[in-house]
Amino acid sequence: QVQLVESEGGLVQAGGSLRLSCAASGRTLSGYSMGWFRQGPGKEREFVAGINWSGSTYYAESVKDRFTVSRDNAKNTVYLQMNSLKPEDTADYYCAATYRGTFMRLERQYDYWGQGTQVTVSS
């Protein structure tokens, strides 16, 4: 079993930055691909960014060039650096882990989930 805990989100003004972290316990993350998802008010959960076990990254078009996902296997932690934030980035953000493969973008492809953290971007 893998337990994932996201760092506290927060309130940030449009154009600002925020970094989320996702700390894992139970197993080492080095063999897992990791993903970040979000669910905005009244919306379905959507894929945001992913990082494979190899370190390759991939993003949703809506956040490409603004968000950066990274991992520190020694700390068993994954990060999501969010820059140039927009009000439409307001959502609950979740990290997730999968052992199924690489470049996973669907919720059902992930096995373990964090509890989520709220990010609010004010205009």
Side-chain angles (χ1 to χ4, degrees), residues 2-77:
V2 176
Q3 291 79 44
L4 302 173
V5 179
E6 296 95 345
S7 60
E8 187 174 347
L11 172 65
V12 62
Q13 288 187 333
S17 299
L18 191 65
R19 188 177 81 157
L20 302 179
S21 62
C22 173
S25 61
R27 288 186 181 177
T28 177
L29 286 182
S30 59
Y32 287 82
S33 293
M34 303 296 296
W36 285 95
F37 290 75
R38 68 185 181 187
Q39 186 168 17
K43 299 181 180 179
E44 294 188 352
R45 193 178 300 187
E46 63 177 358
F47 170 79
V48 175
I51 182 165
N52 295 326
W53 59 266
S54 63
S56 300
T57 59
Y58 50 109
Y59 301 90
E61 281 300 317
S62 59
V63 306
K64 201 173 182 180
D65 299 327
R66 298 189 298 123
F67 289 13
T68 302
V69 59
S70 61
R71 66 192 299 162
D72 186 338
N73 289 335
K75 294 183 178 180
N76 231 25
T77 301

